Amino acid sequence: MAIKKRSDTQLRAETPEKLFPLLRKTGANSDTLWPQQVDLLREYAEKRVGARDLAIELPTGTGKTLTGLLIADWRRREGKGRAIFVCPTKQLVRQVVAAAENEGIDVVDLSGPWKQWDASAQNKYERAKATAVVPYSSIFNTSPKLIEADVIVFDDAHAGEQYVSKAYTVEVPRQRYGSIWSEALEAVAPMLPKERYQQLIGNTPGAGTRELVDCLILAQRDDVLPGLARALDAFARVDRSDRFAASQKFAFDATGGHLAACALYVSWSKIEARPVTPPTFENALFASATQRVYLSATLGTSGELERAFGRPAVARLHRPDGAPTPTSGRRFLVFPHLVPDADPDKLTKELIKTVGKSIVITPSDKDADTASTTIVPKRWTVFRKGDVEDSLDDFAASTKSVALLANRYDGIDLPGKACRSVTMAGYPGVTNLQERFYASRARASAVSAERVRSRVVQGIGRCTRGPRDWALVIVADRETTTYLSREEVRATLSPDLQSEIEFGLDQSDTSLDDVRENVAMFLEQGKQWRGDPEDELARIRAAAEQHEPAAAPGLAEAAKHEVEAMEKMWNGDWKAASEKLHLAATAMTSYPAVRGYQATLLFRAAVAIDKAARDANDQELAFRADALAAQAVDAAKPATWMAAFLPFQGRQALAPSAQCLSAAARLSTYIDGVGSPAKLKIAFQNMIDGLSQIDHKSYEPALTQLGLFLGAYAFKPKGNSRTDSAWCWDETQWISVEAKSEHKIDGVIGVTDTLQVNGHLALVAEDRSTAVPETSAAIMVSPRTVVHKDAIAVAGEDSYRVTPDEIRALATDTERLWEGLQLLRNIKVASERTDGVAKLLDQHRLRPEDVLDRLTVTRIGEV
């Protein structure tokens, strides 16, 4: 029988929620929309239908994807134009297509290479007869093949940064593309200190050298750009079958004409060239859309969405005030590193075997490879990313298996019986060199905190997609354990998740037998679990309150100016770009927690105005650049990374600091007292041997010797409760060092450890009958990286921790310094010798302020 059909455009509704009951019946439709969906869709139609950029926040399991599909379908049917729905991965494209077809929403799958698209499906999109469902890569590339759309809906927008930035980031891994890496490094060598360049070209880097990241703001030196462009353009000449090289070629095509607007992040193992925020205004498909909608379970309030998508302002659409918060099932978190007398890897493996299956989420492929040998049970089936690219069905149906997924914190939905366990194996704090630079050198991790928080929250929730789901969550690494032990981190999470994490921290800090018993009770989901455990969780939840991060308003205000600055730089308006960056930095003046990021913005503003000065030969602008740079250096303290890039070309070198002069004066005398080169070599060997020991009787004297070699008045204070070594550069800067060399790596830094460190500087001040200098720090040296939540709570603001490896790396660098210092023995004029020492300290980045910078990257309670 022939059925007469009405045209697609005749099926219309006043608002998106009224479209829902009019959709064709498929036998698999949802019974009804949830109240929060109805409220959001109604408010969208009434207030936000004209917004160019709109973010919609809906918690996991509350119909976020259907809400986005209805908006796209409604606009399409209203004759507003074509609609695109964007997903992070191809697997999610297929998942969304299936969900849309179940609801009777007309969609077409346009994932994969554009030459392989189904012609009929493409035609339906182009005639606005169906919504195109595509991965992020179909939008963010140098030549999108989709024609312009009225609306583009981005699902899982909180994870969008990695997909958007990838289109504009040229990565050069040293191991894989050594010649390109070397050519790029040679091009920018004039921007690097000589000693740092020597470290980078070496074949056997120490731990410190391998991890160190330099940020070169390329607008600072016009002369390095042609050589760098030639180096990166070499990807165009790599074999076309190399898909990674092809993707770098496309990224270079997107940025190559604008390298001056980019930053270059340089490390021993990789180089990355990228604009700090993506220039999405250059993407015709993205920029021409009438509306861009960003769907997220965790939007955040710090401007991260704006930075991720390169938009100066994104309107928000939240659940109405007073609406009930949907729950996402129950998670029981276990922290193996907190369980006394347990081997964390063995316990993790045991728990995975107890459940019978787990997804294991790691930050990188390297971490995934490590997990496969340390925590995956032997002879179990291992599913990798490629095995679940199209579907999770095989894994869901399997037993005695793990899905080992690198950097897949989103887009894995395994509700109900599909999987009852998530294992977090690695801290997702840095996924690229820009994030690593922010977290370490710039002390600006606050700008990435929203992203890290989202990854952790999304990872924990992979198997609890609805209110009746339940899953065991194993936090299998030290850093994530410490991260979730921080009260200020937990306070930014939902009350439900706060209670689950705090409950898990408490129950893990008991005994191995108790942990096993509690896990068995949870997996049984019987009366025992419904009793005391649920009562305790309810009590903790009742007391929990969610707060936005303290610096969120400043970061959100800054984001607008940062994005606008990028467009100005892209178009060569450096003076206007500097003004925008200065406005961004000014927005954070009232928030001490983001001083490192503020300093970075001020330095970028200084570089931009300096370029404007060079281009216009304007001396007044040059003076303004110097003033901004000085402001940036002051705001950055104790970080010193930007000192390597100052003064600007043609300007006078900065005068040495008071503490640097103190070190130089002491070392210029000490040179004569160390004996012959042979004796000095023995002294360094003995010191490094001592710093390689566990016994405190060997370790502590070596610490004091290191302080002496760095130009400090170094000593072991007498009396009880004193620090193991005090390094004093007169009254300008002090460092106290508490050696916990006898700590076992798998232990936990406790309250007593932290309290010891807190009081050391005050006791040094008492011994010296003076006040503690403003630039000072109390350091704990311990191989442990797990910190008890109570120890975090009592940690002082000036208390930091480093590992023995970091102290040894400092010692090795100090030995290289002394190779140069010995050559100054023949200088008999004291002032000339002191000047020479100061210059060497600066060259080797071992001024007292540099030493303080190196030892104060990680507060005791931070990751």
Side-chain angles (χ1 to χ4, degrees):
M1 181 174 69
I3 302 294
K4 183 178 180 180
K5 297 182 180 179
R6 293 187 176 189
S7 67
D8 176 74
T9 55
Q10 286 179 287
L11 180 56
R12 292 186 175 183
E14 293 177 10
T15 54
E17 85 277 4
K18 291 183 179 179
L19 174 64
F20 178 75
L22 303 179
L23 297 171
R24 68 176 182 273
K25 304 306 175 188
T26 65
N29 306 74
S30 300
D31 295 332
T32 185
L33 291 176
W34 291 14
Q36 63 268 18
Q37 291 173 303
V38 173
D39 292 338
L40 282 170
L41 290 169
R42 186 179 293 128
E43 187 174 354
Y44 166 78
E46 292 174 358
K47 300 179 182 179
R48 299 296 190 185
V49 72
R52 289 299 306 275
D53 291 277
L54 175 67
I56 298 178
E57 185 175 51
L58 273 171
T60 297
T62 59
K64 171 172 55 71
T65 299
L66 178 55
T67 300
L69 285 168
L70 284 170
I71 287 174
D73 201 40
W74 178 71
R75 290 186 70 106
R76 180 183 66 81
R77 292 177 188 276
E78 285 297 296
K80 295 183 183 296
R82 287 172 284 272
I84 304 173
F85 193 96
V86 191
C87 306
T89 64
K90 292 179 184 178
Q91 179 249 321
L92 282 174
V93 167
R94 289 165 177 75
Q95 190 172 306
V96 167
V97 167
E101 290 173 346
N102 286 343
E103 301 292 354
I105 297 173
D106 293 321
V107 298
V108 290
D109 180 344
L110 293 183
S111 61
W114 69 274
K115 290 182 179 180
Q116 297 175 19
W117 288 350
D118 180 91
S120 174
Q122 183 177 352
N123 182 260
K124 284 182 179 179
Y125 161 71
E126 292 176 350
R127 294 174 58 218
K129 298 297 182 183
T131 295
V133 186
V134 302
Y136 273 77
S137 57
S138 292
I139 304 294
F140 298 105
N141 62 67
T142 52
S143 181
K145 302 306 179 185
L146 294 159
I147 62 174
E148 70 277 0
D150 166 65
V151 62
I152 306 177
V153 179
F154 295 94
D155 204 4
D156 289 327
H158 50 266
E161 191 276 340
Q162 63 178 308
Y163 302 103
V164 182
S165 65
K166 186 177 181 180
Y168 303 99
T169 301
V170 186
E171 298 179 54
V172 191
R174 179 178 188 159
Q175 187 172 8
R176 189 167 176 180
Y177 302 101
S179 61
I180 300 177
W181 183 92
S182 295
E183 189 178 350
L185 183 68
E186 290 302 319
V188 298
M191 295 186 72
L192 292 165
K194 182 179 178 182
E195 179 66 20
R196 176 62 176 148
Y197 171 77
Q198 292 297 328
Q199 286 181 343
L200 287 166
I201 63 174
N203 291 323
T204 54
T209 300
R210 184 179 290 275
E211 297 301 320
L212 196 64
V213 179
D214 291 289
C215 173
L216 281 57
I217 309 300
L218 293 174
Q220 190 172 351
R221 292 287 295 263
D222 299 326
D223 56 323
V224 306
L225 299 179
L228 180 61
R230 283 193 298 273
L232 300 182
D233 192 44
F235 279 113
R237 298 185 290 278
V238 175
D239 189 328
R240 290 188 178 184
S241 64
D242 186 334
R243 295 177 63 184
F244 181 86
S247 67
Q248 305 318 303
K249 175 198 176 299
F250 292 136
F252 179 67
D253 289 345
T255 58
H258 303 274
L259 276 178
C262 296
L264 191 78
Y265 298 95
V266 180
S267 75
W268 187 90
S269 58
K270 184 189 282 190
I271 289 174
E272 288 180 2
R274 59 175 290 177
V276 176
T277 57
T280 52
F281 48 81
E282 287 278 281
N283 184 307
L285 176 60
F286 177 84
S288 66
T290 305
Q291 185 175 69
R292 293 165 290 269
V293 178
Y294 310 93
L295 304 176
S296 177
T298 50
L299 274 180
T301 57
S302 301
E304 191 54 32
L305 188 66
E306 286 80 356
R307 292 184 184 88
F309 284 89
R311 303 304 301 160
V314 179
R316 260 58 171 182
L317 197 56
H318 298 281
R319 288 181 305 110
D321 291 339
T325 303
T327 59
S328 296
R330 171 62 72 215
R331 283 76 56 105
F332 178 32
L333 279 79
V334 177
F335 298 85
H337 285 278
L338 294 180
V339 180
D341 302 320
D343 180 304
D345 288 344
K346 287 182 180 178
L347 178 55
T348 298
K349 186 183 294 188
E350 176 188 327
L351 294 176
I352 290 173
K353 289 175 74 173
T354 299
V355 181
K357 176 191 294 188
S358 184
I359 59 170
V360 179
I361 306 175
T362 68
S364 67
D365 290 324
K366 181 180 178 182
D367 292 307
D369 291 339
T370 300
S372 69
T373 60
T374 57
I375 63 174
V376 175
K378 289 183 179 180
R379 292 184 291 278
W380 274 33
T381 303
V382 175
F383 291 79
R384 295 276 188 163
K385 246 190 315 194
D387 301 321
V388 297
E389 187 174 16
D390 293 328
S391 172
L392 289 164
D393 291 348
D394 288 346
F395 173 68
S398 66
T399 57
K400 292 187 177 181
S401 60
V402 296
L404 202 53
L405 306 175
N407 200 17
R408 285 294 301 274
Y409 297 94
D410 300 88
I412 301 293
D413 294 341
L414 290 162
K417 296 179 180 180
C419 188
R420 296 291 192 189
S421 173
V422 178
T423 302
M424 303 284 285
Y427 175 63
V430 289
T431 60
N432 56 59
L433 293 188
Q434 179 167 287
E435 286 186 351
R436 194 195 299 176
F437 170 75
Y438 283 158
S440 57
R441 303 295 300 282
R443 316 298 174 88
S445 57
V447 73
S448 305
E450 216 170 76
R451 210 175 296 157
V452 176
R453 185 164 55 250
S454 176
R455 290 171 192 149
V456 172
V457 171
Q458 292 298 315
I460 287 172
R462 288 302 91 200
C463 296
T464 45
R465 315 307 291 164
R468 292 184 178 83
D469 291 335
W470 52 270
L472 181 72
V473 178
I474 308 164
V475 181
D477 68 283
R478 298 181 179 88
E479 288 74 20
T480 308
T481 297
T482 295
Y483 174 78
L484 292 175
S485 296
R486 294 167 57 191
E487 186 177 359
E488 70 270 25
V489 168
R490 298 197 303 276
T492 64
L493 308 176
S494 71
D496 275 333
L497 190 49
Q498 284 189 51
S499 64
E500 291 171 334
I501 292 170
E502 192 159 342
F503 180 80
L505 291 169
D506 290 342
Q507 303 312 312
S508 298
D509 188 18
T510 52
S511 72
L512 183 55
D513 287 342
D514 285 346
V515 168
R516 287 168 171 156
E517 184 179 339
N518 289 337
V519 168
M521 189 195 321
F522 175 74
L523 295 178
E524 188 178 328
Q525 286 291 296
K527 288 183 179 180
Q528 275 189 301
W529 180 264
R530 303 296 175 199
D532 289 345
E534 285 294 346
D535 287 344
E536 179 66 6
L537 280 158
R539 184 193 64 76
I540 299 172
R541 193 208 181 286
E545 293 183 11
Q546 186 171 9
H547 303 282
E548 75 172 10
L555 284 167
E557 174 64 21
K560 174 180 185 293
H561 303 301
E562 293 174 57
V563 170
E564 290 173 342
M566 178 53 64
E567 187 162 4
K568 298 296 183 185
M569 284 189 281
W570 211 255
N571 293 318
D573 190 346
W574 296 98
K575 184 172 179 289
S578 177
E579 290 167 354
K580 291 290 184 183
L581 289 166
H582 189 254
L583 284 171
T586 303
M588 291 183 284
T589 301
S590 302
Y591 304 97
V594 291
R595 275 178 63 88
Y597 192 56
Q598 181 188 40
T600 302
L601 290 171
L602 285 169
F603 186 69
R604 290 178 59 208
V607 170
I609 201 70
D610 182 62
K611 177 159 176 56
R614 295 198 311 273
D615 291 348
N617 195 24
D618 188 322
Q619 193 61 40
E620 184 179 339
L621 292 181
F623 288 146
R624 197 184 306 176
D626 291 342
L628 274 174
Q631 194 178 346
V633 169
D634 187 59
K637 293 174 181 175
T640 63
W641 66 271
M642 59 187 69
F645 306 106
L646 291 172
F648 292 130
Q649 278 183 291
R651 315 284 222 288
Q652 195 169 12
L654 301 176
S657 65
Q659 54 264 50
C660 183
L661 291 173
S662 169
R666 189 169 283 105
L667 286 172
S668 66
T669 302
Y670 193 35
I671 290 170
D672 293 326
V674 295
S676 67
K679 286 184 178 180
L680 180 64
K681 186 173 183 179
I682 292 170
F684 264 101
Q685 186 60 56
N686 290 338
M687 180 188 73
I688 292 174
D689 284 347
L691 295 175
S692 302
Q693 302 302 311
I694 293 174
D695 178 44
H696 71 278
K697 292 180 181 178
S698 299
Y699 197 89
E700 291 170 11
L703 274 177
T704 296
Q705 182 61 65
L706 177 58
L708 293 171
F709 278 139
L710 287 166
Y713 169 59
F715 62 101
K716 162 76 173 171
K718 295 179 181 179
N720 296 327
S721 303
R722 260 51 178 187
T723 187
D724 292 324
S725 186
W727 301 351
C728 299
W729 289 270
D730 296 328
E731 313 311 321
T732 62
Q733 176 184 304
W734 296 352
I735 296 176
S736 66
V737 190
E738 177 68 17
K740 298 295 182 185
S741 54
E742 295 175 351
H743 271 172
K744 293 182 179 178
I745 191 170
D746 285 331
V748 178
I749 294 174
V751 173
T752 303
D753 298 325
T754 303
L755 289 175
Q756 264 188 316
V757 174
N758 284 350
H760 281 161
L761 287 172
L763 290 172
V764 173
E766 183 179 303
D767 293 340
R768 291 174 68 86
S769 301
T770 187
V772 178
E774 185 178 348
T775 52
S776 299
I779 309 298
M780 176 195 296
V781 184
S782 172
R784 296 177 178 174
T785 55
V786 180
V787 187
H788 195 281
K789 65 185 178 71
D790 295 338
I792 293 172
V794 300
E797 280 296 305
D798 58 1
S799 297
Y800 298 82
R801 60 184 173 88
V802 298
T803 65
D805 283 347
E806 289 169 305
I807 292 292
R808 283 194 295 273
L810 177 60
T812 300
D813 290 345
T814 304
E815 186 174 17
R816 281 199 290 269
L817 164 72
W818 272 83
E819 290 171 4
L821 288 178
Q822 290 180 86
L823 302 178
L824 301 179
R825 284 180 171 179
N826 295 328
I827 300 176
K828 301 305 180 184
V829 180
S831 60
E832 290 182 10
R833 185 188 283 195
T834 300
D835 287 345
V837 172
K839 287 177 182 176
L840 277 175
L841 288 169
D842 184 58
Q843 270 180 27
H844 287 259
R845 316 315 300 165
L846 285 174
R847 302 168 302 162
E849 52 265 51
D850 295 318
V851 176
L852 186 72
D853 182 13
R854 288 178 66 155
L855 300 182
T856 57
V857 171
T858 308
R859 282 194 164 86
I860 283 182
E862 294 180 351
V863 177

